[in-house]
Amino acid sequence: MYIYDQYDQTIVDERVTQFREQTQRYLAGELADAEFLPLRLQNGLYIQRFAPMLRVAIPYGMVSSKQLRKLAEIARKYDKGYVHFSTRQNVQYNWPQLEQVPDILAELATVQMHAIQTSGNCIRNTTTDQFAGVAADEIVDPRPYCEIIRQWSTFHPEFAFLPRKFKIAVNAAKQDRAATLVHDIGLYLVKNEAGEIGFKVIVGGGLGRTPLIGTVIREFLPEQHLLSYLDAVLRVYNRYGRRDNKYKARIKILVKALGTELFTQKVEAEWEHIKDGATTLTQQEINRVTSHFSVPTYETLPATSQQLAQQLADDPNFNHWYQQNVNAHKVPGYSIVTFSLKPTGVAPGDVTDKQLEAAADLTDQYSFGEARVSHQQNLVLADVKQDDLYPLWQAAIQHGFATPNIGLLTDIICCPGGDFCALANAKSIPIAEAIQSRFDDLDYLHDIGELDLNISGCMNACGHHHVGHIGILGVDKKGEEFYQVQVGGNAGSDASLGKILGPSFAKEAVPGVIAKLLAVYVNQRTPEERFIDTYRRIGIKPFKEQVYAKAH
Amino acid sequence: MPKLIKNQDIIDDNYQLLETAPAADQPLPEGNLLVPLTDWLENQQRYVNHQGSVGVWLDSHEEPELLAAQIQSLPVIAVNFPQFTDGRGYSIGRLLRERFGFLGELRAIGDVLRDQLFYMARCGFNAFAIRADRCIDDALNGLKDFSETYQAAVDQPQPLFRRRQMQAE
């Protein structure tokens, strides 16, 4: 993990002082609401439906056991004893007191954490693959580049007041686990024919009101030019992005308005001026940051553990969990474990202080003291010895982390919705729960197989409904909550946006609609097909007909 | 006389800002003037014989490139921040300093508040006309929010990673 040096610590500490002082001026009436707003947002502080909400950054998803314990302590001391893992590799506290936020930030700073730029019209927390560094299909570890971007974007003086929020994702594996194509800037780490590392640069993706898949503006950007190229893209956006209408202010609208070719020309022209300046990365700096993500001291182990094979044969429940929640690791004898934060009856991504502490202990015991947060709102222990999987699974059961549903229908991505969020048109958590309750038969879930079901409580699409194989969007109709259903979205490297099935449904009808969609899939699939594959082959029509068919 | 923060000091502002160009048949006001960009570009003859100094101000949507050719003749360039949330002026500041090499007074005008000053200073502004309803002494503190920064900018052309390296060598 990246460990702060004196410079990093100074910057974070000075931020705490600055925000404490800003909060005092606000409370003393010296700063108007409108003036405090962008300042507090750039520190992750929202004023929500019931209370302020504080969003804490988990840069590129990496979190240590010490940090997990601090998050637990803060949840207990300043909040109601739990935290929410969001879809942006962030953690949210739903009930802090405004007056206490500077103290919370001071506590976070003691474990090298902060809430910098987790909201507001600035460059947000950079996200990546939760399996970064351990995935077998990876070209190079993306985390050092994410940390380099984190430092560059932190208090970037030119880009603190952009037209709108700005999100960057980095992916380095064949399989895109970071929804890279639906970010303002998506970066694919690639190697060219000469074996040099660089980036494929994708701009203008995004969800929300105008969902779009990003377009490639540069096939290969040598790694040393990463930051100057980002400067160029951001400068073009800052100068020419629309500011008259917040719904048309994202970079995707600018790219669309200019056309990819002209937009690219502008970026390249800007970059020509700055490309070889002091911002050009040095190999020494890349090496320095990379050294923080050094390989843990893995043991030399056989590729497959005999003991594990026996345990899998003996215990079908363990086998179930193993099939679903454990992924292959690039080092022989090790596995990647995902703790499900989606048991039925708990808001997706919610974790109690006790659970956080238990996760911290398990992380120390089984995974070198580090965990990762996924944008699917789960927790990953990335370096577990195969021989340890059985005891880890047993402990995970005790703490509610062992629901064997990763990647399945009930592993729902879900925003906090109308229960917490001031923007929401409709609740989303009860819909997730109703679907989880209806489809609680594990055999059936496994038979259905890989399926992304995403729920958002409003057009802002925090629940990424556009890129769910099935996406659900809460809409408001004359003060009543309804749900629009989409099918065919996908967040991977073959990203696609879902299509709306038809008229929306009342809350009670949603689980039934899902059942009908699944029935079409089960009837029409070929043995190898996932739901999304069948949809892509047969189109929306059969799904539509089944769902809207009149009852006989 | 109104006050101005310049080079980390509070001084008298001895420029008069003309929001719009004076009509062609009217005499120019006396003293130092800050005139609109388009007017200055179109009617430069008019300002040649003016007794006081003449600087130019531009709005956040205007192109600093237009000043490039004659930039060194200007004593002051002011950039308007119509709202403090409009961040275009930060890019304009860097371009004026880093690309066009402007060495004179670069002044932030408009909705200029304490909590933006640190970023503005990093982008090359060395003068700040603080919004009239705010305490200029208090605003001065905004320049000292951070003692360390990551990125290269006008005030510190070497990014931290290069300075770290030099330290280590």
Side-chain angles (χ1 to χ4, degrees), chain A residues 410-432:
Chain A
T410 56
D411 182 13
I412 296 171
I413 292 182
C414 181
C415 75
D419 291 296
F420 295 101
C421 178
L423 300 171
N425 290 322
K427 292 189 173 66
S428 44
I429 294 167
I431 299 297

Side-chain angles (χ1 to χ4, degrees), chain A residues 348-361:
Chain A
D350 274 9
V351 185
T352 67
D353 57 333
K354 294 276 184 303
Q355 280 183 303
L356 280 173
E357 283 164 347
D361 292 345

Side-chain angles (χ1 to χ4, degrees), chain A residues 34-107:
Chain A
E35 289 164 7
F36 187 51
L37 176 100
L39 305 181
R40 66 170 163 78
L41 288 180
Q42 296 206 1
N43 234 317
L45 184 62
Y46 285 75
I47 303 297
Q48 279 294 15
R49 188 150 290 198
F50 301 110
M53 183 268 275
L54 180 68
R55 184 181 289 153
V56 176
I58 313 263
Y60 39 92
M62 290 297 293
V63 63
S64 70
S65 56
K66 190 179 175 189
Q67 291 173 331
L68 285 170
R69 288 192 188 93
K70 179 54 84 177
L71 291 173
E73 190 190 328
I74 291 170
R76 206 160 35 236
K77 201 162 147 189
Y78 299 95
D79 205 282
K80 294 190 174 183
Y82 69 96
V83 301
H84 174 74
F85 285 91
S86 84
T87 54
R88 293 265 320 137
Q89 297 188 315
N90 286 311
V91 163
Q92 297 179 177
Y93 290 104
N94 279 318
W95 309 93
Q97 298 295 313
L98 172 63
E99 294 78 359
Q100 293 189 319
V101 169
D103 295 335
I104 298 174
L105 297 177
E107 296 223 20

Side-chain angles (χ1 to χ4, degrees), chain A residues 86-262:
Chain A
S86 84
T87 54
R88 293 265 320 137
Q89 297 188 315
N90 286 311
V91 163
Q92 297 179 177
Y93 290 104
N94 279 318
W95 309 93
Q97 298 295 313
L98 172 63
E99 294 78 359
Q100 293 189 319
V101 169
D103 295 335
I104 298 174
L105 297 177
E107 296 223 20
L108 288 170
T110 65
V111 294
Q112 311 192 343
M113 293 186 89
H114 59 74
I116 295 164
Q117 292 170 207
T118 54
S119 182
N121 294 335
C122 51
I123 306 166
R124 303 285 190 88
N125 189 29
T126 296
T127 53
T128 192
D129 180 0
Q130 67 271 19
F131 297 165
V134 293
D137 63 341
E138 190 168 84
I139 292 154
V140 60
D141 188 345
R143 293 171 301 172
Y145 300 96
C146 293
E147 173 58 27
I148 286 168
I149 295 171
R150 182 192 76 82
Q151 296 187 15
W152 161 83
S153 63
T154 296
F155 307 135
H156 196 303
E158 190 179 338
F159 307 129
F161 295 93
L162 293 169
R164 278 289 267 149
K165 57 186 169 183
F166 202 91
K167 299 172 180 177
I168 302 173
V170 186
N171 191 67
K174 289 213 176 65
Q175 195 188 333
D176 182 351
R177 282 174 287 261
T180 312
L181 299 178
V182 287
H183 282 73
D184 295 292
I185 295 179
L187 297 167
Y188 277 147
L189 269 153
V190 289
K191 268 189 188 159
N192 67 7
E193 280 169 9
E196 294 155 342
I197 295 169
F199 299 89
K200 182 189 264 198
V201 183
I202 299 135
V203 178
L207 302 178
R209 217 160 279 251
T210 314
L212 286 168
I213 308 289
T215 45
V216 177
I217 66 162
R218 192 169 239 278
E219 285 292 338
F220 188 82
L221 175 75
E223 59 176 345
Q224 68 269 25
H225 295 304
L226 171 65
L227 299 183
S228 59
Y229 203 80
L230 291 177
D231 269 326
V233 174
L234 265 298
R235 183 171 285 173
V236 169
Y237 170 57
N238 189 39
R239 293 187 65 194
Y240 304 110
R242 284 181 65 171
R243 290 173 189 267
D244 58 326
N245 178 342
K246 73 179 241 186
Y247 301 116
K248 297 189 189 307
R250 299 288 291 268
I251 197 171
K252 60 191 171 187
I253 304 291
L254 178 66
V255 175
K256 219 177 144 192
L258 295 177
T260 306
E261 203 179 321
L262 183 54

Side-chain angles (χ1 to χ4, degrees), chain A residues 5 8 14 154 158 270 278, chain B residues 91 99 147 150-151 162 164:
Chain A
D5 64 13
D8 302 296
E14 287 178 348
T154 296
E158 190 179 338
E270 182 59 46
Chain B
S91 289
R99 187 152 314 157
S147 64
Y150 285 115
Q151 319 74 5
R162 286 184 187 266
R164 264 195 188 108

Side-chain angles (χ1 to χ4, degrees), chain B:
Chain B
M1 191 172 279
K3 299 281 180 189
L4 186 72
I5 294 177
K6 187 174 170 184
N7 297 332
Q8 324 218 14
D9 224 346
I10 296 170
I11 60 160
D12 287 335
D13 176 7
N14 54 18
Y15 272 81
Q16 187 186 345
L17 180 93
L18 303 183
E19 284 188 31
T20 52
D25 54 353
Q26 294 291 310
L28 291 173
E30 282 178 24
N32 303 334
L33 302 177
L34 271 172
V35 304
L37 172 69
T38 44
D39 181 55
W40 186 76
L41 290 172
E42 286 163 18
N43 306 306
Q44 274 178 51
Q45 271 320 107
R46 206 175 161 195
Y47 296 107
V48 169
N49 299 323
H50 182 64
Q51 291 292 314
S53 298
V54 176
V56 169
W57 72 270
L58 64 158
D59 217 339
S60 61
H61 65 274
E62 292 183 303
E63 302 277 334
E65 283 83 348
L66 296 172
L67 285 170
Q70 295 154 290
I71 202 156
Q72 303 308 354
S73 68
L74 292 167
V76 181
I77 299 175
V79 179
N80 187 37
F81 290 78
Q83 282 111 32
F84 70 93
T85 50
D86 183 340
R88 287 176 283 192
Y90 297 91
S91 289
I92 293 172
R94 287 193 77 175
L95 289 170
L96 288 171
R97 291 286 195 216
E98 293 172 340
R99 187 152 314 157
F100 307 122
F102 179 61
L103 298 168
E105 176 186 322
L106 185 57
R107 183 189 291 201
I109 59 172
D111 202 5
V112 178
L113 299 170
R114 167 181 168 162
D115 295 290
Q116 282 72 49
L117 296 197
F118 185 78
Y119 291 147
M120 287 173 173
R122 295 217 66 211
C123 290
F125 291 90
N126 66 332
F128 309 91
I130 303 299
R131 211 170 77 186
D133 64 333
R134 292 304 151 93
C135 170
I136 195 165
D137 299 285
D138 177 60
L140 195 54
N141 293 315
L143 290 168
K144 295 181 280 220
D145 282 347
F146 293 95
S147 64
E148 198 49 81
T149 54
Y150 285 115
Q151 319 74 5
V154 178
D155 65 326
Q156 174 49 271
Q158 294 296 316
L160 179 59
F161 70 80
R162 286 184 187 266
R163 286 180 282 129
R164 264 195 188 108
Q165 242 164 266
M166 285 185 267
Q167 197 95 57
E169 275 159 11

